[in-house]
């Protein structure tokens, strides 16, 4: 079944799959949008979240700030946390250290020249240290600590050569390293591709890897395609998806849709081509066994929907 058909079928049944929805409110950054956040996480006894902050009329001119929960679906900027010139932040815990990653855009004469994944590490959010850079023109690099102490690394190359080789606009790769000092652009670039994730013209990537008790890695991801509309706008359609990856056999379950833009409350988009866009942040498990799924919406805000837990086994440590 084509991805467009899967999306239409999912949205026809979303009333049975989405239990709650909300748009997050952010205080302390008046006149700025906050979107494409990390998942909320605990730090010093408080719930915090990293958010991409950018003005509505600007593009590739964002920074990342830290916000503290001050109400239900409500966050306030932590004023004494230094801002970082990044896009689309994400957080991992590796060997007892927090690892913050995001995309750094490099410009020349005001125009985008390239972009890289930047990585920071530390035991204290106020003392994170920049330690490595990912490959040229690569976003969506993610890390997960495995039961034997090694680190799983997901990559996402996307270029014309990839499309010629695999038929899809991007692939997701996977490799394993022993420690964070081995995380280099060469290692990431040479991660072997995981087969059968994307069809012709599709793209996507890993947003949140979760080690499961069955030895698989549950991957909260995004799948995307372009779609022409009757009004002449070519949409960039982004959806929240999930699949399980077996790092031993190097096989995956078929990715399935767990959220689309229509599942979140209605609202504006940064541009007409982003009206059907939700860029996946990840999930947080709930006390009732369900999961809160977070995603950027229309590149202007961050939303939350409550869904069924999407994997066949619980996470390690649960």
């Amino acid at each position: 079944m084509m991805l467009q058909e899967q999306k239409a079928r999912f949205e026809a049944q979303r009333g049975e799959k989405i239990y709650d929805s909300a748009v997050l409110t952010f205080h302390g950054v008046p006149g700025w949008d906050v979107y494409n956040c990390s998942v909320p996480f605990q730090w010093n006894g408080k719930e915090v979240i990293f958010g991409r902050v950018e003005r509505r009329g600007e593009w590739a001119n964002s920074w990342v700030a830290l916000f503290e929960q001050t109400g239900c679906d409500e966050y306030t900027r932590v004023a004494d946390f230094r801002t970082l010139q990044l896009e689309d932040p994400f957080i991992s815990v590796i060997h007892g250290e927090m690892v913050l990653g995001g995309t750094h855009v490099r410009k020349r004469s005001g125009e985008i020249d390239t972009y890289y994944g930047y990585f920071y590490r530390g035991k204290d959010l106020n003392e994170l240290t920049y330690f490595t850079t990912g490959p040229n023109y690569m976003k969506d690099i993610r890390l997960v600590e495995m039961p034997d102490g090694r680190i799983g690394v997901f990559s996402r190359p996307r270029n014309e050569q990839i499309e010629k080789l695999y038929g899809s606009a991007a692939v997701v790769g996977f490799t394993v390293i022993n420690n964070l000092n081995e995380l280099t652009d060469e290692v990431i670039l040479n991660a072997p591709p995981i087969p059968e994730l994307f069809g012709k013209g599709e793209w996507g990537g890993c947003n949140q890897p979760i080690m499961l008790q069955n030895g698989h890695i549950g991957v909260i991801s995004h799948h995307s395609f372009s779609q022409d509309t009757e009004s002449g706008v070519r949409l960039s359609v982004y959806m929240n998806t999930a699949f399980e990856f077996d790092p031993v056999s190097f096989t995956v379950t078929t990715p399935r849709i767990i959220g689309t833009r229509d599942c979140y409350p209605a609202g504006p988009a940064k541009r007409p081509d982003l009206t059907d866009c939700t860029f996946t942040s990840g999930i947080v498990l709930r006390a009732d066994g369900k999961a809160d799924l977070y995603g950027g919406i229309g590149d202007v805000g961050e939303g939350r929907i409550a869904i069924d837990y999407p994997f066949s086994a619980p996470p390690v440590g649960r």
Side-chain angles (χ1 to χ4, degrees):
M1 186 186 302
M2 293 183 63
L3 199 54
Q4 293 93 323
E5 296 174 2
Q6 295 178 47
K7 178 176 181 289
R9 178 173 295 184
F10 176 87
E11 289 179 338
Q13 300 173 340
R14 69 178 182 273
E16 304 169 13
K17 301 175 182 293
I18 307 302
Y19 302 101
D20 182 29
S21 67
V23 174
L24 305 191
T25 299
F26 293 93
H27 302 291
V29 284
W32 300 74
D33 292 326
V34 182
Y35 66 102
N36 291 11
C37 300
S38 73
V39 293
F41 62 100
Q42 297 295 316
W43 179 61
N44 284 348
K46 300 176 181 179
E47 181 175 296
V48 294
I49 189 171
F50 283 108
R52 174 178 174 175
V53 183
E54 191 171 48
R55 293 193 186 278
R56 182 72 54 91
E58 296 180 350
W59 188 259
N61 192 28
S62 59
W63 44 279
V64 164
L66 182 68
F67 297 84
E68 176 186 338
Q69 186 185 41
T70 50
C72 181
D73 297 317
E74 182 177 298
Y75 295 84
T76 299
R77 183 184 173 192
V78 179
D80 60 355
F81 180 83
R82 62 188 175 115
T83 59
L84 302 168
Q85 193 170 2
L86 296 173
E87 299 179 352
D88 306 343
F90 55 90
I91 191 79
S92 306
V93 178
I94 305 293
H95 298 164
E97 284 189 283
M98 288 174 286
V99 178
L100 169 67
T103 301
H104 177 78
V105 176
R106 190 180 76 187
K107 295 182 179 181
R108 291 184 185 275
S109 302
E111 300 295 326
I112 296 175
D113 177 50
T114 185
Y115 49 81
Y116 311 89
Y118 271 20
F119 293 86
Y120 299 77
R121 62 190 288 187
K123 294 183 179 295
D124 189 321
L125 289 184
N126 289 316
E127 298 180 3
L128 295 177
T129 302
Y130 163 74
F131 74 98
T132 198
T133 301
N136 198 24
Y137 290 114
M138 189 184 296
K139 300 181 179 182
D140 305 327
I141 302 161
R142 298 294 190 269
L143 311 176
V144 61
E145 184 174 334
M146 304 176 73
D148 62 4
R150 296 183 301 162
I151 304 167
V153 181
F154 289 87
S155 68
R156 198 223 62 178
R158 180 184 180 188
N159 52 49
E160 290 182 1
Q161 183 180 7
I162 291 294
E163 192 157 11
K164 289 178 181 177
L165 284 172
Y166 301 101
S168 57
V171 294
V172 172
F174 179 80
T175 191
V176 176
I177 58 177
N178 295 304
N179 56 67
L180 290 174
N181 293 330
E182 295 182 0
L183 185 66
T184 65
D185 56 345
E186 293 90 354
V187 165
I188 297 167
L189 195 60
N190 290 314
I194 300 171
E196 300 178 357
L197 279 179
F198 306 111
K200 182 176 176 58
E202 299 171 4
W203 70 94
C206 169
N207 296 83
Q208 181 195 33
I210 301 170
M211 199 70 221
L212 305 180
Q213 292 182 18
N214 62 2
H216 296 175
I217 301 173
V219 179
I220 304 296
S221 53
H222 66 279
H223 273 59
S224 309
F225 61 92
S226 296
Q227 182 177 10
D228 292 322
T229 65
E230 293 180 358
S231 63
V233 175
R234 187 167 179 79
L235 294 177
S236 291
V237 180
Y238 278 70
M239 300 175 296
N240 314 135
T241 53
F243 62 90
E244 286 188 33
F245 170 63
D246 184 342
V248 177
S249 65
F250 224 78
T251 57
V252 296
T253 60
T254 301
R256 62 188 183 91
I257 299 170
I258 56 174
T260 67
R261 177 62 186 90
D262 280 0
C263 298
Y264 297 86
K270 195 178 191 79
R271 301 186 317 216
D273 63 312
L274 297 173
T275 57
D276 200 357
C277 171
T278 169
F279 183 74
T280 311
S281 297
I283 63 170
V284 175
L285 270 63
R286 295 161 44 123
D288 62 4
K290 293 182 171 53
D292 281 324
L293 169 62
Y294 292 83
I297 44 179
D299 277 13
V300 299
E302 183 78 9
R304 177 189 62 80
I305 56 177
I307 64 170
D308 289 318
Y309 177 70
F311 301 121
S312 65
V316 170
R318 298 287 292 197

